[in-house]
Each structure stands twice: as structure tokens, then as C-alpha cells.
């Protein structure tokens, strides 16, 4: 089954009204591959600004979503509030939240389930630390993270899996094409055995971790790499080159 290439831009805690407006302007007037689905995730303060001014064929994602529909949860945003604001995607499980905010596999799974149940699509982030890779625990770690979600989610049609080795995020280090493809193939095998053959064939598995305009084309050629989740490079004009890397 042909899987539509997918490129997400995670701005993290970066940007101002001016800089994000400039990024939007650049994307609005750029020539983008029509066969690539593009989603950008600005800080929550700028979600409405982004959705109002961004060309409609590019979707907008929240960097976080809570696992409850409403209530006394200071600082959180619900799936219903995002959908009400025409935000159609959310990230879940990014390693920075797992690490700095101590989000557990179970909590990430709950947030993923709540987001899907509330009408959002989800970019589900998984990945291992350098220590875990060095002791050959990569596949064990990513399948543990996936198993937690599978315990709470049956329908994976609105999930994009983002494999992001923690040691490559923002470090300038990138998994080799062989390393990335090996893990992506293992994730697809997991989907086949734990979800369904259909899910294995249709679910997009994207790579994140110091993706740039210099390395994206080699990565995009790999059989099981269906796109990218881009961090710092999504703030730069070269993001357009990454979007077009599958041409």
C-alpha cells in the first residue's frame, strides 16, 4: 500500500509573532510537493495565529494535549479545545516531555487515546537514549513504548509514528540510514504482529533527530521511512527542501 509522505515541523519553545508569521509567509508562497502531507506545530500561544494565516492544505498540530476532556487542570489543553480551534493534530510522547516532565509510557498512551477519541490525529514519538542503544536495547525500548499505546488504542489509522532516537535530537548527530531503516522495519514488524497487517502496510513511520536539508534525501530513500519530524530546521527556509525531499 502506498503511504503518503509526511513531514512535520516541531517548533518547540521557539518563535515570536514576527518569526512565526515569517515562517508562515515562506510556506504559503513556497512550491511544495503536493504528494507530501505537511503539519507544523508552533507553541500553543501561536496555534490560532498559525491556523488563521497558514495555507489550508498545511495542517497545524499542538505540541501537547491532556488526557482529560475538561476540568481543573491548570495549564493544560484538551482535544476538544484544539478541535474547536481547527487544530487537527497533536504530538504525544516527545522525548523532551518524557525526560523533563517525567511523562511515563502509560501517560503518553492515555494522552494518545484521549486525543484520538477527541477527534485529533496524533504524531506518536518514540525512541531510545544513547545508553539504551549502546547496550542494544533500542528495539526493546521502542516496542515497550508502542505496547503501552496498543493497550489503550485499537485503531491506528490516525496515528503517525515518529521514531526519534533521543541521542540524535538537537545534537547534530543523526542515525545512519541503515540504523534508521533497521528500527523502522522493526516497528513495521511490530505493527504487523500486534495491530494488523493492514496497519503495518498503511501506518506512516517517520524519522526525527537532527534532520536537515543535507541528510533528508538519503533517509527518504529508505523503504520504511515515510517522512520526517523536523525540529530546529523547521524554523528555517530550508524546511521547504525537507518537505520536497521525496521528489
Amino acid at each position: 500500500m502506498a503511504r503518503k509522505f509526511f513531514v512535520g515541523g516541531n517548533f518547540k519553545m521557539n518563535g515570536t509573532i514576527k518569526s512565526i508569521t515569517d515562517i508562515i509567509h515562506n510556506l504559503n508562497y513556497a512550491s511544495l510537493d503536493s504528494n507530501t502531507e505537511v503539519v507544523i506545530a508552533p507553541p500553543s500561544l501561536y496555534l490560532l495565529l498559525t491556523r488563521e494565516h497558514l495555507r489550508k492544505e498545511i495542517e497545524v498540530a499542538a505540541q501537547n494535549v491532556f488526557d482529560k476532556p475538561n476540568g481543573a487542570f491548570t495549564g493544560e489543553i484538551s482535544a476538544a479545545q484544539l478541535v474547536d480551534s481547527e487544530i487537527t493534530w497533536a504530538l504525544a510522547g516527545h522525548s523532551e516531555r518524557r525526560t523533563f516532565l517525567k511523562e511515563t509510557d502509560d501517560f503518553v498512551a492515555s494522552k494518545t487515546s484521549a486525543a484520538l477519541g477527541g477527534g485529533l490525529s496524533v504524531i506518536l514519538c518514540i525512541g531510545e537514549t544513547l545508553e539504551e542503544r549502546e547496550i542494544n536495547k533500542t528495539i526493546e525500548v521502542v516496542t515497550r513504548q508502542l505496547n503501552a499505546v496498543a493497550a489503550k488504542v485499537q485503531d491506528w489509522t490516525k496515528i503517525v509514528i515518529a521514531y526519534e532516537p533521543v541521542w540524535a535530537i538537537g545534537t547534530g548527530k543523526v542515525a545512519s540510514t541503515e540504523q534508521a531503516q533497521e528500527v523502522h522495519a522493526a516497528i513495521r514488524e511490530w505493527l504487523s504482529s500486534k495491530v494488523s497487517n493492514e496497519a503495518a502496510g498503511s501506518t506512516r513511520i517517520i524519522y526525527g533527530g537532527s534532520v536537515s536539508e543535507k541528510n533528508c534525501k538519503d533517509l527518504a530513500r529508505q523503504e520504511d521511512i515515510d517522512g520526517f519530524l523536523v525540529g530546529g530546521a523547521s524554523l528555517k527556509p530550508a524546511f521547504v527542501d525537507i518537505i520536497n525531499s521525496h521528489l
Side-chain angles (χ1 to χ4, degrees):
M1 178 182 294
R3 296 181 295 271
K4 189 171 186 178
F5 206 69
F6 183 101
V7 175
N10 178 15
F11 295 3
K12 306 190 180 185
M13 198 175 70
N14 293 300
T16 61
I17 290 173
K18 183 183 185 308
S19 67
I20 289 176
T21 300
D22 288 345
I23 292 169
I24 292 168
H25 183 272
N26 184 49
L27 291 172
N28 283 348
Y29 290 94
S31 177
L32 303 179
D33 181 3
S34 61
N35 293 315
T36 294
E37 185 172 1
V38 182
V39 178
I40 61 172
S44 59
L45 187 62
Y46 305 118
L47 284 168
L48 292 175
L49 169 76
T50 301
R51 183 61 286 165
E52 181 180 356
H53 296 287
L54 185 66
R55 59 202 275 186
K56 294 304 179 185
E57 60 267 33
I58 300 178
E59 299 291 339
V60 180
Q63 295 178 21
N64 183 42
V65 61
F66 202 50
D67 67 338
K68 302 293 190 296
N70 53 63
F73 304 105
T74 301
E76 296 294 341
I77 300 175
S78 72
Q81 290 170 327
L82 292 169
V83 170
D84 186 49
S85 300
E86 299 183 358
I87 307 303
T88 50
W89 287 80
L91 274 65
H94 195 282
S95 66
E96 288 155 2
R97 296 193 66 86
R98 291 180 189 264
T99 301
F100 301 133
L101 298 173
K102 310 302 181 188
E103 293 192 356
T104 64
D105 293 345
D106 185 66
F107 186 42
V108 170
S110 292
K111 294 208 299 184
T112 301
S113 177
L116 294 169
L120 295 170
S121 297
V122 174
I123 300 171
L124 173 63
C125 303
I126 59 173
E128 84 285 5
T129 64
L130 182 58
E131 180 183 6
E132 289 164 339
R133 171 164 282 277
E134 289 177 340
I135 58 174
N136 297 315
K137 295 280 189 180
T138 296
I139 305 304
E140 179 182 329
V141 169
V142 298
T143 54
R144 184 199 76 218
Q145 293 167 338
L146 289 167
N147 282 331
V149 177
K152 299 187 178 187
V153 172
Q154 283 72 51
D155 184 357
W156 287 65
T157 56
K158 293 178 69 178
I159 294 178
V160 169
I161 298 172
Y163 167 60
E164 294 194 297
V166 179
W167 48 272
I169 297 173
T171 64
K173 298 178 181 179
V174 184
S176 68
T177 53
E178 295 79 12
Q179 287 174 319
Q181 167 58 26
E182 178 185 18
V183 179
H184 282 233
I187 294 168
R188 204 167 300 286
E189 183 178 338
W190 176 89
L191 283 165
S192 179
S193 64
K194 298 294 185 180
V195 183
S196 68
N197 288 331
E198 182 181 6
S202 61
T203 301
R204 289 169 294 181
I205 307 170
I206 63 177
Y207 173 79
S210 297
V211 175
S212 72
E213 73 280 10
K214 297 176 182 178
N215 57 37
C216 59
K217 284 191 174 291
D218 285 340
L219 288 162
R221 293 189 188 101
Q222 301 305 303
E223 180 181 356
D224 291 296
I225 296 179
D226 302 314
F228 305 109
L229 183 58
V230 185
S234 67
L235 302 168
K236 303 173 183 177
F239 185 47
V240 170
D241 298 323
I242 300 173
I243 293 170
N244 292 333
S245 61
H246 207 230
L247 286 171

